Amino acid sequence: MSAPPTLGDCCPKCDPFDFTASLPLTVTGEPDHPGSLCAFYRCHRGHEWTCWWDARSADWPLERRAA
């Protein structure tokens, strides 16, 4: 089994050449929007933002399957 992608994103306020992509602090699924992921980020300078991802497009597992 492979690990899900990291969902890295660049800060919308920082110059994209200043820092590398930030990894999400948390990722949650949204019960009202099946297949959607909500990722919360904080860059090295302390800016915070939220990014929505489509789970299938990001190759994120949607459900766990018993082995």
Side-chain angles (χ1 to χ4, degrees):
M1 182 176 162
S2 62
T6 59
L7 302 179
D9 194 28
C10 291
C11 177
K13 294 182 180 177
C14 291
D15 183 337
F17 298 105
D18 286 347
F19 296 105
T20 59
S22 298
L23 298 177
L25 299 172
T26 60
V27 178
T28 60
E30 290 296 315
D32 294 337
H33 304 283
S36 292
L37 301 172
C38 185
F40 299 93
Y41 297 86
R42 184 181 306 122
C43 76
H44 297 282
R45 291 187 175 162
H47 301 132
E48 296 181 347
W49 71 99
T50 304
C51 185
W52 289 87
W53 295 84
D54 176 76
R56 279 192 168 77
S57 295
D59 289 330
W60 197 268
L62 296 175
E63 57 188 48
R64 293 183 178 206
R65 295 184 182 152

